[in-house]
Every structure is written in C-alpha cells, then in structure tokens.
C-alpha cells in the first residue's frame, strides 16, 4: 500500500510518493517534503507509517498544522483524501493511486510548478509594431541654458570685488594726506612754541 501526497499551491501542484516509513515536512532542505512557505517551520511535521496506518505528527511547529481544518495536537491518523494545511500550503493525502490521480487532475495541476512562458518567434516578414513613446510630463528643462545662465551669474559675482578695488585705493590716499597734514601741523606748532620760548627767555631779540 503506497501513499501519495499532493502539494497544492496557487502556482501549481506536485505529486509525491511516500516511500519511507517516516516522511518529514518543513522549510529546511533536509526534509522529505520541502515547502517554500514563510509560515512553515524548518522541521514542521512528519507523516509516519506504523502498523500499517499513517499518522501525521506535529513537531511543535510555531504556526501549527491543520487536518481538514482542525488543529492537530500531537499526532492524528490520516485517512484517504485528508487535507493537511501548513501555512498557505495544502497537502492532500491519498492511499489509492486512482483517487490521487483524480484529485491531481481536478486541481488542474502539473507534476512541477508552472514555468514562465517564453515569447514565440514571429514569422519572417511579419510587421513589427512599435509603440510610440509618450512625452515626459511637465515642462522640459534645458540643462545647457541653465548652466550658461548660472555661469553668467557667477561671472558677475566674481567681477564685483574687482570693481570695488578702486575705492580702497582712494581711501588710502586720503588717509596718507591727512597724516601728512597732521605731521605738518605738529611741526608748525613745535616751531612756533620754540620761537615763543626763545623770545621769552631772551635768547632771541629783534634789536
């Protein structure tokens, strides 16, 4: 008596033979039945053959295991046509090859998940349809003009310090003239003071 299990998912189905007494189910690659399901534990459950009867054993999985919509606690005997649910994946257990084949055909499944279709080559000389490209939405900017405008603005900013160089030169000349005048005034005052002191002491006289 050979049992089969059909793994049914949205993208397809796969039919497997349970050839050993213990078949493990989980996300890890070392399982007999590997499920690519985020809700499936790495070692989720086992299907065991003991004394001619098959039983499903939950291995303490995080999200649990259902058989015909009922939660499995510990182990549960499996019957022909039972539906085992792990995460988002349904596994149909079957003891008779005829029923497994019928369930497989009813699911519209293939032995392997469906592959992406490849484009068919067009016959020689067939017209080729080119879809027109839509213009981009919104105003179109011209990088070259924007760059030229920014270059002119930069040139004006850079030329501003050069234009302001002359006022600095004029200011320095005025300062120098004022200093010379101050020195001249000091000299004149000193000379006048010396002459006055000489007359007052009698060192100089007009007679």
């Amino acid at each position: 008596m050979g049992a089969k299990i059909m793994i049914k998912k949205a993208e397809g189905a796969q039919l497997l033979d349970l050839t050993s007494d213990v078949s493990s189910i989980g996300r890890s690659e070392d399982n007999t039945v590997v499920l690519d399901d985020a809700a499936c534990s790495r070692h989720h459950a086992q299907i065991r053959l003991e004394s001619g009867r098959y039983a499903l054993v939950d291995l303490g999985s995080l999200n649990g295991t259902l058989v015909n919509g009922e939660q499995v606690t510990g182990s549960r005997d499996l019957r022909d046509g039972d539906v085992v649910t792990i995460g988002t994946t349904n596994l149909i257990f079957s003891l008779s090859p005829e029923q497994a084949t019928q369930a497989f055909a009813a699911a519209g499944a293939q032995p392997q998940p469906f592959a992406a279709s490849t484009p068919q080559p067009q016959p020689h000389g067939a017209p080729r349809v080119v879809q027109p490209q839509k213009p981009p939405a919104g105003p179109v900017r011209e990088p070259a003009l924007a760059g030229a405008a920014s270059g002119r603005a930069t040139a004006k900013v850079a030329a501003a310090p050069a234009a302001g160089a002359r006022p600095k030169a004029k200011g320095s000349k005025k300062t120098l003239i004022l200093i010379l005048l101050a020195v001249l005034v000091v000299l004149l005052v000193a000379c006048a003071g010396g002459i006055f002191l000489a007359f007052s002491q009698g060192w100089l006289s007009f007679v």
Side-chain angles (χ1 to χ4, degrees):
M1 179 174 60
K4 296 179 182 292
I5 190 168
M6 183 178 71
I7 306 172
K8 185 179 179 181
K9 297 196 70 175
E11 64 270 16
Q14 185 178 7
L15 188 64
L16 299 176
D17 293 321
L18 302 179
T19 58
S20 59
D21 293 343
V22 178
S23 300
S24 59
I25 304 173
R27 202 173 68 251
S28 180
E29 294 292 338
D30 58 353
N31 290 287
T32 307
V33 180
V34 179
L35 298 182
D36 185 13
D37 194 316
C40 178
S41 300
R42 292 178 58 83
H43 299 90
H44 197 101
Q46 289 180 346
I47 297 179
R48 299 177 183 175
L49 175 61
E50 298 177 351
S51 302
R53 298 174 64 88
Y54 284 92
L56 176 73
V57 180
D58 186 90
L59 301 178
S61 61
L62 180 62
N63 296 310
T65 307
L66 303 178
V67 174
N68 299 330
E70 298 180 358
Q71 188 78 28
V72 175
T73 302
S75 64
R76 172 168 173 167
D77 291 340
L78 290 177
R79 297 180 180 180
D80 196 14
D82 283 348
V83 178
V84 180
T85 303
I86 297 178
T88 59
T89 306
N90 290 328
L91 300 91
I92 301 177
F93 176 79
S94 179
L95 290 173
S96 60
E98 294 81 7
Q99 184 174 355
T101 303
Q102 292 176 3
F104 197 67
Q110 299 294 332
Q112 297 295 335
F114 295 116
S117 59
T118 55
Q120 299 295 330
Q122 297 182 355
H124 181 70
R128 184 179 180 183
V129 179
V130 179
Q131 297 293 337
Q133 295 183 355
K134 295 182 179 180
V140 179
R141 294 185 178 180
E142 298 182 0
L145 296 179
S150 62
R152 291 195 296 270
T154 304
K156 290 182 180 179
V157 173
R166 289 185 177 181
K168 290 184 178 180
K170 292 181 178 180
S172 60
K173 289 183 178 180
K174 290 181 179 180
T175 303
L176 181 59
I177 293 173
L178 291 175
I179 292 174
L180 292 176
L181 289 175
V183 172
L184 181 59
V185 170
V186 171
L187 291 176
L188 290 175
V189 171
C191 290
I195 294 171
F196 178 78
L197 181 61
F199 276 108
S200 64
Q201 296 293 330
W203 296 338
L204 292 177
S205 65
F206 291 103
V207 180

